[in-house]
Amino acid sequence: MFAYLVRRLLLIIPTLFGIMVINFFIIQVAPGGPVEQVIAELTGTATDATARISGSQLGETGSTTGQSTAGVQGDLSSKYRGARGLDPQLIADLERQFGFDKPMGERFLLMMERYVQLDFGESFFQDRSVIQLVVDKLPVSISLGLWTTLLAYLISIPLGIAKAVRDGSRFDVWTSGAIFAGYAIPSFLFAVLLVVLFSGGNFLNWFPLRGIVSNDWEALSLGGKIVDYLWHLVLPITAMAIGGFATLTMLTKNSFLDEINKQYVITARAKGLTERRVLYGHVFRNAMLIVVAGFPAAFVGILFTGALLIEIIFSLDGLGLLGYEALVGRDYPIIFGTLFVFTLLGLLVNLIGDMLYVVIDPRIDFEKREV
């Protein structure tokens, strides 16, 4: 097992490097980079989606306009859409400011060298470090990811077991229809429905619409803070969890059905054990192997990929919204810094999931053996 763990840890390095290379090349060659973003601001052609540059930055950049263009070789403005008529020296200063005065390969190697030292740089347009931005947004995303995953598991596992025990019954058929109907509804559409029904729409006004806590949260008692926090999470977590029930419930049901039909279950019943003892004393541990071991990966998947539209609908300022705004605004330090961190975390979580298989079922051994 130790040798397998070492191999997996070493495999993370080339995997992470390859993912960063591919994404770096794709994003770098995509039109509308940070230089174009500033040019659009300077020329007044920026749209709402790209107008994310602070006035101070624009002033610092624009202050170079009017400098002498002597000695500037070539018309740099021809490289960028909408830059014709701007001072070539200004374009050169912009390239230097964003690091585009170096070849692409050199930029990548310098970036990876910093990342190895856990230096993820400063945002191009937000005047803050990438780490600080991620730390500020992380509580919202952790809240959504953790509670959504726990809710999905706490409901889907008992429901899947009940469906397996009553396989083919009316309960099984009706619950399957309800589960897949919920799965077919996109989470963002279900979120809008919840807002209309329970958050000041045309019906009830039971839950808040914006934020993860109230404006007077700091003034509340400890119990009041907990209640207020959970009160704000009810609707977004419900909207996110509704789509995760189907897969997990059916996985649990199929795992139990597969185990229930095995010989050791028949033997346990023949020995006179109660159905409850057979189900939870023997079947549960084996059937839950895949489900429980997949918990870390499910949590990370929900944490980093499933909350963008939910964050927008409920005005939750989390990692999903941060990544979307960085991608639209071509804020490369945020894009690549978060990609590096999340990819590394995902690879480690996959390894943890494999280790959980061994913890849950010691019969599993990843070591290669001679036949």
Side-chain angles (χ1 to χ4, degrees):
M1 173 57 70
F2 178 75
Y4 172 79
L5 180 61
V6 172
R7 289 197 302 270
R8 285 291 301 272
L9 288 173
L10 293 177
L11 186 61
I12 287 176
I13 298 175
T15 303
L16 179 60
F17 186 83
I19 292 173
M20 293 300 297
V21 167
I22 295 172
N23 284 274
F24 184 86
F25 175 78
I26 292 175
I27 293 176
Q28 290 282 335
V29 299
V35 175
E36 286 93 334
Q37 300 289 334
V38 177
I39 291 173
E41 291 285 345
L42 293 173
T43 58
T45 59
T47 63
D48 290 340
T50 59
R52 306 182 185 278
I53 305 169
S54 66
S56 61
Q57 289 173 311
L58 193 57
E60 291 172 2
T61 305
S63 65
T64 59
T65 306
Q67 292 180 2
S68 174
T69 61
V72 179
Q73 296 180 354
D75 187 8
L76 292 175
S77 64
S78 63
K79 294 172 55 178
Y80 303 102
R81 183 176 54 186
R84 292 190 178 278
L86 291 179
D87 188 345
Q89 182 62 46
L90 170 61
I91 307 300
D93 290 342
L94 288 174
E95 287 190 329
R96 186 164 50 254
Q97 176 182 343
F98 295 118
F100 283 85
D101 56 331
K102 301 180 180 64
M104 183 184 300
E106 183 179 351
R107 294 201 307 271
F108 176 77
L109 293 177
L110 290 174
M111 181 186 74
M112 293 303 297
E113 181 181 353
R114 293 196 308 270
Y115 285 3
V116 170
Q117 302 171 20
L118 301 181
D119 176 13
F120 299 101
E122 301 280 332
S123 167
F124 281 163
F125 306 128
Q126 299 194 42
D127 293 325
R128 300 175 66 189
S129 69
V130 174
I131 289 296
Q132 186 179 8
L133 286 168
V134 170
V135 169
D136 287 347
K137 314 295 184 183
L138 201 54
V140 173
S141 294
I142 287 180
S143 296
L144 293 176
L146 180 61
W147 290 113
T148 300
T149 307
L150 287 176
L151 181 64
Y153 269 76
L154 289 175
I155 295 178
S156 296
I157 290 177
L159 181 59
I161 295 174
K163 287 173 65 61
V165 174
R166 300 171 177 83
D167 182 42
S169 67
R170 183 175 298 178
F171 170 82
D172 182 36
V173 173
W174 281 102
T175 53
S176 294
I179 288 171
F180 285 109
Y183 181 73
I185 301 175
S187 59
F188 72 89
L189 187 59
F190 192 72
V192 173
L193 177 64
L194 292 176
V195 169
V196 172
L197 293 178
F198 302 110
S199 189
N202 298 326
F203 298 92
L204 304 173
N205 190 17
W206 289 353
F207 299 98
L209 178 60
R210 303 175 61 85
I212 198 170
V213 293
S214 300
N215 294 331
D216 60 344
W217 188 78
E218 291 293 341
L220 299 176
S221 63
L222 178 60
K225 289 180 178 179
I226 295 175
V227 172
D228 182 75
Y229 166 74
L230 295 176
W231 181 47
H232 280 75
L233 286 177
V234 170
L235 295 187
I237 288 177
T238 302
M240 290 182 63
I242 193 69
F245 287 145
T247 302
L248 186 56
T249 300
M250 299 310 296
L251 178 62
T252 303
K253 175 189 174 181
N254 293 334
S255 297
F256 264 78
L257 286 177
D258 185 56
E259 293 295 326
I260 286 174
N261 295 322
K262 289 186 177 179
Q263 184 63 42
Y264 75 90
V265 177
I266 299 174
T267 303
R269 287 170 174 165
K271 290 182 178 180
L273 296 180
T274 64
E275 190 66 21
R276 184 179 182 86
R277 180 68 182 276
V278 171
L279 188 62
Y280 293 100
H282 296 274
V283 176
F284 185 83
R285 181 169 182 171
N286 294 326
M288 286 295 97
L289 177 62
I290 297 177
V291 177
V292 175
F295 180 88
F299 168 64
V300 172
I302 294 174
L303 176 64
F304 296 135
T305 63
L308 172 58
L309 293 176
I310 301 299
E311 289 179 8
I312 294 175
I313 293 172
F314 292 101
S315 300
L316 301 174
D317 193 10
L319 292 174
L321 191 57
L322 174 67
Y324 171 75
E325 291 180 344
L327 190 61
V328 171
R330 299 297 193 270
D331 200 334
Y332 289 169
I334 296 179
I335 295 174
F336 296 123
T338 53
L339 175 66
F340 181 88
V341 173
F342 297 160
T343 302
L344 178 60
L345 182 60
L347 293 171
L348 291 175
V349 164
N350 285 334
L351 178 58
I352 293 173
D354 288 346
M355 296 299 104
L356 280 177
Y357 281 105
V358 179
V359 173
I360 297 172
D361 189 351
R363 296 172 299 174
I364 295 179
D365 188 357
F366 292 107
E367 294 296 336
K368 181 180 179 181
R369 306 199 182 276
E370 299 293 337
V371 179

